[in-house]
Amino acid sequence: QVQLVESGGGLVQAGGSLRLSCAASGSIFRINAMSWYRQVPGKQRDLVARVTRGGITNYADFVKGRFTISGDNAMNTVNLLMNDLKPEDTGVYYCRADFWNSGGSYTTNWGQGTQVTVSS
């Protein structure tokens, strides 16, 4: 099996910063992309940022200029540096890995989520 463990969430004042981390382990042959999604109660899970093995990054409009996603060379770890946090950034942040597993299948897996709360 594959495990994605997120960390770094917490409570922060508006204008502050947090760094989220996601560590992947298990039956992973090659990770192609790592992403962060955000979900709030009653809303869909929305893409926040994604980085591919080729170094291509993609950001939601509402975080451009404030958040930065990065990964190591093997993409076993992905970080999301969140600056200038706003109350509307509040939500559960989920790490997603898109990867080839050891059996040759292209698979998606999600972490359990980490809570980010931004107070005004």
Side-chain angles (χ1 to χ4, degrees), residues 83-97:
N83 292 321
D84 191 25
L85 282 161
K86 305 176 184 298
E88 52 264 41
D89 295 322
T90 294
V92 179
Y93 284 72
Y94 295 89
C95 177
R96 188 181 97 168

Side-chain angles (χ1 to χ4, degrees), residues 40-61:
V40 299
K43 300 291 186 179
Q44 67 182 21
R45 188 174 297 183
D46 292 323
L47 175 69
V48 175
R50 172 178 291 132
V51 61
T52 71
R53 175 169 292 275
I56 300 172
T57 57
N58 185 29
Y59 296 94
D61 286 342

Side-chain angles (χ1 to χ4, degrees), residues 33-80:
M34 294 281 278
S35 307
W36 285 98
Y37 284 72
R38 183 185 71 201
Q39 188 168 30
V40 299
K43 300 291 186 179
Q44 67 182 21
R45 188 174 297 183
D46 292 323
L47 175 69
V48 175
R50 172 178 291 132
V51 61
T52 71
R53 175 169 292 275
I56 300 172
T57 57
N58 185 29
Y59 296 94
D61 286 342
F62 56 85
V63 304
K64 286 181 178 177
R66 299 188 296 122
F67 292 10
T68 303
I69 190 169
S70 62
D72 61 13
N73 289 334
M75 301 191 66
N76 297 122
T77 301
V78 65
N79 299 315
L80 184 69

